[in-house]
Amino acid sequence: MKLSGHLVSASIVSLAAAAIGNLPTACKSSNLSFDSSNADTLAGCAGLAYSCDGEVVQVNSTNEAITANCTPHPYKIFIDGTIKGPLAIPGMAEASSITVNGSIVLNSPAYLGAVYSSNITSLDLPGLENVASSFIISHVSSLTSLNVPKLKNVTESLVFDLSDGPAIKLSFPSLSYARNISLTGNIDAIEFPALNEALSLDIYTTGKLDCAAFMKKVDAVVHTGGQGRTCTSRISKGTTTSSSPAPTDTGDSVRIGVRGGLLALAVLLASVLAL
């Protein structure tokens, strides 16, 4: 039986009213700040929150139809250093931004505060497709796995500073665009099979990544609008740098692009000041 337009509208209003009542208070903000005490609750919110005619409501798409006036509600995701072990946010398709960093202790003698490394071991975002701003990971000491199989677009910066962590292989099988990419750490492999555009690309690894082979693949498919691309391997003590139209190989002293540590630190301090 086909419902009339009025009945459908009434059903949507009823659903929204009920869902708003069930949405945890911590999920009604535009920010979700994950810590060791609320991770399970917030992970559920990130996957079930939708904006329906301006109202943020909770809709379980496995049980309820997602109507045309409802779109995923993009949160600003903050994951702090008290998270230990694995973290999964299975239902989240959209995010305004994602920031993973260590614990910040304010009023310490060191400038704005001391930063202690996060002990998150894995980050699983199986449904994530778009990040409207930046995706930042810094000051983590235990991350060995990142799963973002559907991530297609990062509008601003994809910046990982994994300098404090163990060996890791990074794979972005669906990523086609990120304005700025900066990856630093003990990186054994990087896969960007779908990437075709990035304004800047800067890799610094102390792991087993073969920079020459990696850059050969990148040069063939990634357009940077004339900007440089660089990959530095500490083990091989060499930097492979290229800029449109032709790649060149230079020594350790040549670096083009944005270093991950500096940009990540700037974002980290900005997030502190915003709290």
Side-chain angles (χ1 to χ4, degrees):
M1 179 178 68
K2 183 176 181 181
L3 295 176
S4 70
H6 292 296
L7 289 178
V8 171
S9 298
S11 299
I12 294 171
V13 171
S14 298
L15 170 61
I20 290 172
N22 293 329
L23 196 66
T25 301
C27 300
K28 294 181 180 180
S29 168
S30 60
N31 301 335
L32 291 186
S33 296
F34 285 72
D35 59 40
S36 58
S37 66
N38 65 16
D40 290 341
T41 297
L42 298 192
C45 295
L48 299 177
Y50 283 77
S51 295
C52 302
D53 293 331
E55 298 273 10
V56 180
V57 300
Q58 180 170 300
V59 181
N60 188 340
S61 59
T62 60
N63 300 324
E64 303 155 352
I66 305 301
T67 55
N69 68 320
C70 295
T71 58
H73 178 64
Y75 285 106
K76 292 181 179 179
I77 304 294
F78 298 92
I79 301 170
D80 79 9
T82 64
I83 299 288
K84 296 181 179 180
L87 176 64
I89 310 177
M92 182 175 67
E94 309 277 341
S96 178
S97 64
I98 301 174
T99 303
V100 184
N101 55 37
S103 298
I104 303 169
V105 181
L106 298 177
N107 300 320
S108 76
Y111 303 101
L112 293 176
V115 180
Y116 297 94
S117 291
S118 167
N119 290 312
I120 185 172
T121 57
S122 66
L123 181 59
D124 187 13
L125 306 172
L128 181 66
E129 296 183 12
N130 296 293
V131 179
S133 181
S134 295
F135 188 174
I136 310 292
I137 299 179
S138 64
H139 296 92
V140 297
S141 60
S142 304
L143 188 70
T144 59
S145 174
L146 173 73
N147 184 39
V148 285
K150 296 183 179 180
L151 180 61
K152 299 176 182 177
N153 178 76
V154 178
T155 302
E156 293 299 331
S157 297
L158 178 71
V159 179
F160 294 173
D161 186 347
L162 309 175
S163 302
D164 300 329
I168 190 169
K169 295 180 179 180
L170 298 173
S171 178
F172 304 89
S174 302
L175 185 67
S176 61
Y177 174 82
R179 181 179 176 85
N180 302 297
I181 299 175
S182 180
L183 305 175
T184 301
N186 188 1
I187 304 170
D188 285 344
I190 303 174
E191 294 181 354
F192 283 126
L195 186 66
N196 56 47
E197 185 177 1
L199 183 62
S200 66
L201 176 63
D202 188 21
I203 310 297
Y204 180 82
T205 176
T206 57
K208 299 176 182 178
L209 178 68
D210 184 336
C211 276
F214 171 76
M215 292 300 286
K216 185 176 181 180
K217 291 181 179 179
V218 166
D219 285 337
V221 296
V222 180
H223 304 285
T224 58
Q227 300 298 311
R229 300 176 286 259
T230 184
C231 181
T232 298
S233 173
R234 181 178 175 184
I235 290 178
S236 64
K237 297 190 180 299
T239 300
T240 301
T241 303
S242 69
S243 59
S244 301
T248 60
D249 289 337
T250 64
D252 275 338
S253 62
V254 179
R255 300 297 309 284
I256 299 176
V258 181
R259 278 299 305 274
L262 293 176
L263 185 53
L265 180 59
V267 174
L268 179 60
L269 293 178
S271 67
V272 173
L273 295 175
L275 295 176

